[in-house]
Amino acid sequence: MALWGGRFKEKASVQFKKFNDSLPVDYRMAVQDIVGSIAWAGALNQVGVLSDDEVTQLESALLELKASVEENPKQILLSDAEDIHSWVEIQLIEKTGDLGKKLHTGRSRNDQVATDLKLWCKETGGELLIALVNLQQALMNLAERESNTVLPGYTHLQRAQPVTFGHWCLAYVEMFDRDIGRLKDSLYRLDVSPLGSGALAGTAYPIDRDKLAQNLGFRAATLNSLDAVSDRDHVIELLSSASISMMHLSRFAEDLIFYNSGEAGFVEMSDLVSSGSSLMPQKKNPDACELIRGKAGRVFGSLTGMLTTMKALALAYNKDMQEDKEGLFDALDTWQECMEMATLVVEGLKVNSARTLAAAQQGYANATELADYLVSKDIPFREAHHIVGEVVLAAIDKGVPLEDLTLTQLQAFSDKIEQDVYQHLSIESTLDKREALGGTSRSQVQKAIAQMQKGQTDILNEQVVGAPGKQQTKLALKQVQQRLNAQKAEAFSVRRARMSDIDKIHELVAYWADKGEILNRSRENIIHDVQNFVVAEVEGQVVGCASLYIYEPGLAEIRSIVVDDSWHGQGQGQALTQYLLEFAHMMELETIIVLTYIPDYFSNLGFSVIDKSTLADYIIEDSEPSPNRHPEDEIAMAYQVSRVAG
């Protein structure tokens, strides 16, 4: 059944119907269409179009339909409905009769599809964020495992200077971190509700669109109805984010394909992500990485196609825009699948450290070190560069590395070269001698490892991150892990609190205060302090909260960290804490304290026990222990926030 038959004398041809119908693609938005319909029924009730009983009947039927779709979404494809909106309406009419026909009052398929798509993008965006974070974590784990593994660095696919395998991993962690930023920016901009914009001119009913947007989980409603129904910027932005990330994934795959080759032999792929040859039994092919590399073009094509579709469309809606979903769905599916496959590749990767070290020792990667040595002997760098070029040429002629040239042979190029030159030419020296920006130090590596094992971060305040050597890889690991924890927190849907969260925050705080776990806070106090709160949200419901109270520049306390009973043990409290620690880092705070009865919990998050008597009197007075607990049970703990630039 079409929703527009009254104007027409004849039925559309079968050929046109097949060409025009979008159900085979947009059936994936069934749940979002139902959720939007429930919200719209409530909005119509508020303006008197639907009675309370009618809304109850519609909501019951729609929730029943939602459960059915979630159990078996492919059932939709058996219908000959034109699109998902038609299918939902047909099903609703079958369940409620003529009442189902009233739901479309004041609503157009134009604002309906725009709303459905944005809801779908929000949900899918959350899954993509989690996939990115999981990939970063896998790379972080590999970086830590291989932090001391020497790897030849390349420019122009020529061996350049030695780095560490851990540093190579962290390079991709940085790329995927930027991908997270782009994705989050895209999700923020699309988080506005078009519902209530009608076909193009807005709805004629006095709908409270801000409240409607809030009920659907949007941060706001759109401000212009023409733009709202014809905007597909969010599709293009998501496709752009996917394309850039797929480019990073393709580079990652290309590196590993090369490292896995017989010529390099630096890594071996797990059998779980490799295939063999139908003809050559000795072959083990890196097919997972090759497919990641190949699928990048597929995602790029979706972006180009959407840009081309939208480039000349007059306002407002045009049927061309029906082409937005197929490419978007495929591209985001592909992106997520490739991230999950890349994670599997990383988790099973074996690194041949002997082979990587041998390769780093070839190709005169220590030539720069010889030039630096000459500079230390008061030879200008440009002259030193020329001298070393001649030395390399001579070594090539003899077929030996620089360190195998005799002192006499080296002195033929400069009498400044002395016996101590050889200590500068080893790979270990090349990595370890850099102690400032871009440098490494073997002694500092051991110190950093020991400090991290104790859960301390003081050393981070004295070092500079960014160099490829062992010391800086260790330091970068700690800094990147802190940032990664914050990304995980956001993937758990931790966000800054809003005024609309006050009642739920007050309810959570009062509940745990009654149990004697935390101090009570009045509703007025929470209103006054709401800008310092964050909340954990699951399916639009606030399930936890925490606040960051700043005492003075450099010092703050995490307070009122509570989670609903039904959500204990699922990571929400950890996510809230990690979010606040990253926020403290952005605020350039130095020390975060907690006064707690569960020190083991905070110890696992990087806090260390401190002497409570060292805290200022005003802090103790401001944080009186619970009347249901013994004062000695309250433990003071502190977290030293890293001040290293990320």
Side-chain angles (χ1 to χ4, degrees):
M1 182 186 81
L3 302 180
W4 39 266
R7 161 68 174 79
F8 294 80
K9 295 180 179 179
E10 297 182 67
K11 291 177 62 176
S13 71
V14 174
Q15 184 178 0
F16 172 74
K17 178 172 171 52
K18 183 178 178 181
F19 186 67
N20 180 68
D21 289 0
S22 60
L23 190 67
V25 174
D26 63 24
Y27 82 95
R28 292 181 60 171
M29 301 190 305
V31 169
Q32 287 76 27
D33 196 80
I34 294 168
V35 168
S37 294
I38 292 172
W40 187 249
L44 290 178
N45 171 247
Q46 291 167 6
V47 296
V49 174
L50 295 175
S51 69
D52 292 347
D53 287 342
E54 288 175 325
V55 169
T56 299
Q57 290 182 58
L58 288 171
E59 286 185 356
S60 177
L62 287 166
L63 287 171
E64 181 182 332
L65 183 59
K66 179 173 176 283
S68 174
V69 166
E70 288 173 335
E71 182 178 349
N72 179 24
K74 293 295 180 71
Q75 64 177 290
I76 302 170
L77 298 177
L78 300 176
S79 168
D80 67 345
E82 179 181 348
D83 52 34
I84 191 57
H85 322 299
S86 305
W87 185 85
V88 170
E89 188 165 333
I90 291 168
Q91 301 302 310
L92 190 60
I93 292 170
E94 286 183 1
K95 291 177 180 293
T96 65
D98 287 344
L99 175 58
K101 298 177 182 179
K102 296 179 68 175
L103 184 58
H104 204 62
T105 304
R107 183 173 64 165
S108 165
R109 282 190 298 175
N110 293 355
D111 62 346
Q112 198 173 349
V113 69
T115 303
D116 291 357
L117 187 55
K118 284 190 171 182
L119 287 171
W120 184 90
C121 287
K122 287 180 63 176
E123 181 178 339
T124 303
E127 296 172 3
L128 293 167
L129 281 172
I130 291 172
L132 276 166
V133 167
N134 288 340
L135 177 54
Q136 281 189 304
Q137 185 64 66
L139 284 164
M140 282 288 298
N141 295 342
L142 181 60
E144 190 161 10
R145 192 184 84 202
E146 303 295 340
S147 61
N148 289 330
T149 300
V150 179
L151 177 75
Y154 290 82
T155 61
H156 309 284
L157 267 182
Q158 305 293 314
R159 288 175 190 158
Q161 290 178 289
V163 294
T164 64
F165 203 92
H167 193 68
W168 175 86
C169 293
L170 292 178
Y172 284 101
V173 170
E174 290 301 310
M175 293 186 205
F176 296 131
D177 194 69
R178 294 194 294 273
D179 294 338
I180 286 174
R182 274 181 284 269
L183 177 56
K184 285 161 54 179
D185 287 347
S186 301
L187 293 174
Y188 177 82
R189 275 187 288 276
L190 71 80
D191 195 18
V192 287
S193 173
L195 195 56
S197 297
L200 76 161
T203 181
Y205 295 84
I207 300 293
D208 185 343
R209 291 192 60 234
D210 285 324
K211 185 172 183 179
L212 177 60
Q214 186 179 20
N215 290 342
L216 282 168
F218 289 101
R219 63 180 173 85
T222 54
L223 298 179
N224 183 283
S225 59
L226 275 173
D227 176 61
V229 299
S230 61
D231 167 36
R232 293 298 183 271
D233 285 5
H234 56 287
V235 174
I236 294 168
E237 279 200 82
L238 286 172
L239 287 172
S240 176
S241 298
S243 295
I244 294 172
S245 187
M246 283 300 299
M247 176 267 292
H248 291 151
L249 283 163
S250 184
R251 295 183 71 184
F252 160 85
E254 173 64 17
D255 268 352
L256 288 182
I257 291 166
F258 168 62
Y259 291 167
N260 185 73
S261 67
E263 284 68 23
F266 297 163
V267 302
E268 180 183 353
M269 303 280 184
S270 164
D271 290 352
L272 300 177
V273 295
S274 305
S275 72
S277 166
S278 62
L279 177 65
M280 297 167 283
Q282 82 280 11
K283 295 291 292 298
K284 183 178 180 182
N285 300 323
D287 282 10
C289 286
E290 290 176 1
L291 282 168
I292 289 171
R293 185 177 59 183
K295 289 176 182 292
R298 177 172 172 169
V299 176
F300 299 170
S302 294
L303 172 60
T304 302
M306 192 61 201
L307 285 167
T308 304
T309 295
M310 295 298 297
K311 73 176 183 62
L313 291 188
L315 292 177
Y317 182 84
N318 297 271
K319 193 70 168 181
D320 313 47
M321 294 164 68
Q322 182 170 291
E323 293 298 302
D324 57 355
K325 287 171 284 296
E326 190 168 7
L328 177 69
F329 291 169
D330 182 75
L332 298 193
D333 287 349
T334 300
W335 183 19
Q336 182 168 348
E337 184 180 23
C338 286
M339 286 190 286
E340 291 169 351
M341 186 54 57
T343 301
L344 194 60
V345 167
V346 171
E347 289 173 344
L349 200 66
K350 295 179 181 178
V351 181
N352 187 339
S353 57
R355 192 74 177 260
T356 59
L357 176 60
Q361 290 171 330
Q362 300 170 11
Y364 306 99
N366 52 357
T368 303
E369 311 314 310
L370 180 55
D372 288 340
Y373 170 82
L374 292 173
V375 169
S376 73
K377 300 292 184 177
D378 295 326
I379 295 178
F381 180 77
R382 282 300 166 205
E383 184 179 341
H385 187 283
H386 180 76
I387 292 170
V388 174
E390 292 179 330
V391 175
V392 170
L393 189 59
I396 291 173
D397 288 341
K398 297 180 183 297
V400 297
L402 295 182
E403 59 268 28
D404 284 358
L405 292 173
T406 67
L407 181 60
T408 301
Q409 289 171 327
L410 289 170
Q411 287 177 334
F413 298 95
S414 173
D415 58 9
K416 298 280 190 178
I417 299 177
E418 299 174 356
Q419 187 65 41
D420 63 345
V421 69
Y422 293 103
Q423 70 189 55
H424 296 274
L425 297 180
S426 71
I427 290 295
E428 293 303 310
S429 173
T430 299
L431 288 172
D432 291 344
K433 66 183 288 189
R434 291 169 167 80
E435 295 181 347
L437 179 63
T440 65
S441 165
R442 297 177 70 181
S443 62
Q444 290 296 319
V445 171
Q446 299 306 318
K447 181 179 178 183
I449 292 173
Q451 292 287 347
M452 290 195 320
Q453 287 173 340
K454 294 177 183 177
Q456 299 175 357
T457 58
D458 291 349
I459 191 172
L460 293 172
N461 298 327
E462 303 169 359
Q463 302 294 333
V464 181
V465 172
K470 298 176 183 176
Q471 157 71 352
Q472 299 301 335
T473 297
K474 283 289 187 182
L475 294 173
L477 278 167
K478 180 65 177 178
Q479 175 68 16
V480 175
Q481 185 65 62
Q482 178 177 312
R483 186 178 62 199
L484 184 54
N485 288 341
Q487 304 289 10
K488 290 179 181 177
E490 290 206 47
F492 264 104
S493 295
V494 176
R495 58 170 174 79
R496 302 294 298 276
R498 307 171 185 140
M499 295 302 292
S500 56
D501 300 321
I502 286 171
D503 288 338
K504 184 61 179 180
I505 293 172
H506 183 237
E507 176 188 327
L508 287 168
V509 170
Y511 175 83
W512 289 105
D514 287 345
K515 288 181 172 289
E517 299 295 331
I518 62 171
L519 288 177
N520 199 7
R521 302 182 71 167
S522 67
R523 189 174 185 276
E524 291 71 24
N525 179 267
I526 293 171
I527 292 172
H528 178 73
D529 206 30
V530 70
Q531 72 275 9
N532 297 324
F533 271 89
V534 294
V535 297
E537 188 177 57
V538 178
E539 296 180 355
Q541 300 298 314
V542 172
V543 299
C545 67
S547 69
L548 187 70
Y549 184 84
I550 299 175
Y551 284 109
E552 59 187 54
L555 178 64
E557 178 187 0
I558 291 179
R559 295 178 170 183
S560 303
I561 179 165
V562 290
V563 175
D564 190 284
D565 255 339
S566 59
W567 286 92
H568 273 200
Q570 300 190 40
Q572 301 297 338
Q574 182 176 349
L576 286 161
T577 304
Q578 289 169 339
Y579 189 100
L580 287 177
L581 291 177
E582 177 63 11
F583 181 65
H585 172 71
M586 294 170 57
M587 290 285 290
E588 299 183 354
L589 293 166
E590 297 174 0
T591 303
I592 307 301
I593 62 170
V594 291
L595 295 167
T596 179
Y597 301 113
I598 48 172
D600 289 346
Y601 179 84
F602 286 97
S603 178
N604 291 332
L605 296 175
F607 285 78
S608 300
V609 174
I610 60 173
D611 186 347
K612 190 159 62 172
S613 67
T614 62
L615 297 176
D617 290 342
Y618 66 86
I619 295 177
I620 301 299
E621 293 169 0
D622 200 37
S623 304
E624 295 178 3
S626 166
N628 300 323
R629 295 274 193 167
H630 194 281
E632 292 180 359
D633 292 339
E634 187 179 57
I635 305 298
M637 304 186 75
Y639 181 97
Q640 301 301 322
V641 181
S642 168
R643 298 297 299 278
V644 180

